[in-house]
Amino acid sequence: MHAPTLAISSAKGRVSDAEWQLRVDLAAAYRLVAHFGWDELIFTHLSVRIPGPEHHFLINPFGTMFEEITASSLVKIDMNGEKVEDNPFPVNPAGFTIHSAIHEAREDAQCVMHTHTTEGVAVSTHCEGLLPISQQSLFPLSDLAYHDYEGIAVREDEKVRLVRDLGTANYMILRNHGLLTCGPTVADTFLSMYILQRACEIQIAALAGNRPLTPVPQPIIDKIQGEGNKVTSSKGGMLAWPGLLRKLDRINPGYRD
């Protein structure tokens, strides 16, 4: 059975074409996160910046399940996580702390995704972090940052350290916490999260085998960034995205409402 449509009037026609497309893509990303089992009830967030000087963002209506989020139900907020237009759904300003820090510091980080998957949190507890033991691991390893756990991410003073640790990377493992990716589009950021999540799943499965592991040689790791960009660049992300939307149209339509 398909998830019910949230009772809210359509935002199409009331927002710019650019914002509407971002709403559709972000709602699709939320539903895909649910489909792949990366959600944690109503918690964690995916956010995207709306074009314009106002620095407004779209984020999930707090209290709704990811599989029922629609383009029109997404909430428009400012840098402080406060609503900037009428919307019947609440927001969770505390949950936007991590996102707002990255959006503010990184102009290229139009989209930010953060998850608490079992495999992602498990790898975040490993002292060695992500291991170079699979092809999937090499893409994030070429562009990966770490941030030490400081407790529930609600304090303003943590932002500067989070931004410092992220630097120019597009993948981050939040120690004892979870995974984060950012990028110029929803498609790019989702693809990055998919690859990072898969790398974590493979690592947990490999370690469960209780056998010696074969690491990828360092020279291959050193050169993978240039080769990886050919696969995971904007072109790669945008090539994968239409297929993901077609999949979503088959299994959980209605996100364009």
Side-chain angles (χ1 to χ4, degrees), residues 176-194:
N176 311 101
H177 188 171
L179 307 179
L180 184 145
T181 58
C182 58
T185 68
V186 173
D188 291 324
T189 309
F190 185 88
L191 180 59
S192 294
M193 182 59 76
Y194 182 89

Side-chain angles (χ1 to χ4, degrees), residues 149-166:
Y149 189 65
E150 299 187 24
I152 304 300
V154 296
R155 297 186 307 278
E156 286 292 317
D157 65 299
E158 186 178 355
K159 286 185 176 183
V160 65
R161 293 182 292 278
L162 178 71
V163 168
R164 177 200 63 204
D165 291 342
L166 180 63

Side-chain angles (χ1 to χ4, degrees), residues 34 68 97 110 119 129 162 171 195 198 210 228 235 242 256:
E68 60 184 347
T97 300
Q110 299 292 317
E119 299 84 0
L162 178 71
Y171 299 84
I195 295 169
R198 287 289 290 155
N210 196 29
K235 290 183 179 179
R256 292 186 175 91

Side-chain angles (χ1 to χ4, degrees), residues 75-98:
V75 185
K76 189 186 298 187
I77 60 176
D78 61 20
M79 186 63 76
N80 297 316
E82 301 294 336
K83 290 193 286 186
V84 297
E85 65 178 13
D86 288 337
N87 188 297
F89 301 101
V91 295
N92 180 11
F96 189 58
T97 300
I98 291 173

Side-chain angles (χ1 to χ4, degrees), residues 10-232:
S10 176
K12 190 173 186 178
R14 295 191 289 107
V15 300
S16 68
D17 290 343
E19 178 177 334
W20 179 251
Q21 186 58 57
L22 288 174
R23 283 177 172 272
V24 169
D25 285 342
L26 190 62
Y30 271 108
R31 292 198 181 200
L32 286 166
V33 164
H35 167 70
F36 287 111
W38 305 342
D39 53 339
E40 188 178 38
L41 298 179
I42 62 173
F43 306 104
T44 77
H45 303 279
L46 321 178
S47 61
V48 68
R49 180 189 291 119
I50 299 170
E54 299 87 358
H55 292 285
H56 289 165
F57 305 87
L58 297 173
I59 201 165
N60 53 310
F62 194 51
T64 59
M65 304 297 284
F66 282 17
E67 69 264 20
E68 60 184 347
I69 290 175
T70 67
S72 297
S73 70
L74 290 165
V75 185
K76 189 186 298 187
I77 60 176
D78 61 20
M79 186 63 76
N80 297 316
E82 301 294 336
K83 290 193 286 186
V84 297
E85 65 178 13
D86 288 337
N87 188 297
F89 301 101
V91 295
N92 180 11
F96 189 58
T97 300
I98 291 173
H99 295 248
S100 63
I102 297 171
H103 282 302
E104 185 174 12
R106 291 272 301 272
E107 189 64 29
D108 62 313
Q110 299 292 317
C111 181
V112 177
M113 299 187 180
H114 173 45
T115 62
H116 294 166
T117 63
T118 299
E119 299 84 0
V121 176
V123 169
S124 80
T125 71
H126 294 171
C127 292
E128 303 89 345
L130 186 65
L131 300 174
I133 58 173
S134 68
Q135 178 169 281
Q136 287 83 352
S137 72
L138 301 186
F139 301 111
L141 281 172
S142 70
D143 192 25
L144 180 64
Y146 291 87
H147 177 64
D148 288 339
Y149 189 65
E150 299 187 24
I152 304 300
V154 296
R155 297 186 307 278
E156 286 292 317
D157 65 299
E158 186 178 355
K159 286 185 176 183
V160 65
R161 293 182 292 278
L162 178 71
V163 168
R164 177 200 63 204
D165 291 342
L166 180 63
T168 61
N170 290 315
Y171 299 84
M172 175 174 263
I173 292 179
L174 300 156
R175 297 282 191 183
N176 311 101
H177 188 171
L179 307 179
L180 184 145
T181 58
C182 58
T185 68
V186 173
D188 291 324
T189 309
F190 185 88
L191 180 59
S192 294
M193 182 59 76
Y194 182 89
I195 295 169
L196 181 56
Q197 171 64 24
R198 287 289 290 155
C200 290
E201 291 171 3
I202 292 167
Q203 179 165 321
I204 296 302
L207 291 173
N210 196 29
R211 303 293 298 170
L213 302 179
T214 303
V216 174
Q218 189 60 45
I220 294 179
I221 299 172
D222 292 340
K223 73 175 184 178
I224 197 66
Q225 185 167 15
E227 295 176 351
N229 286 342
K230 296 177 183 178
V231 178
T232 59

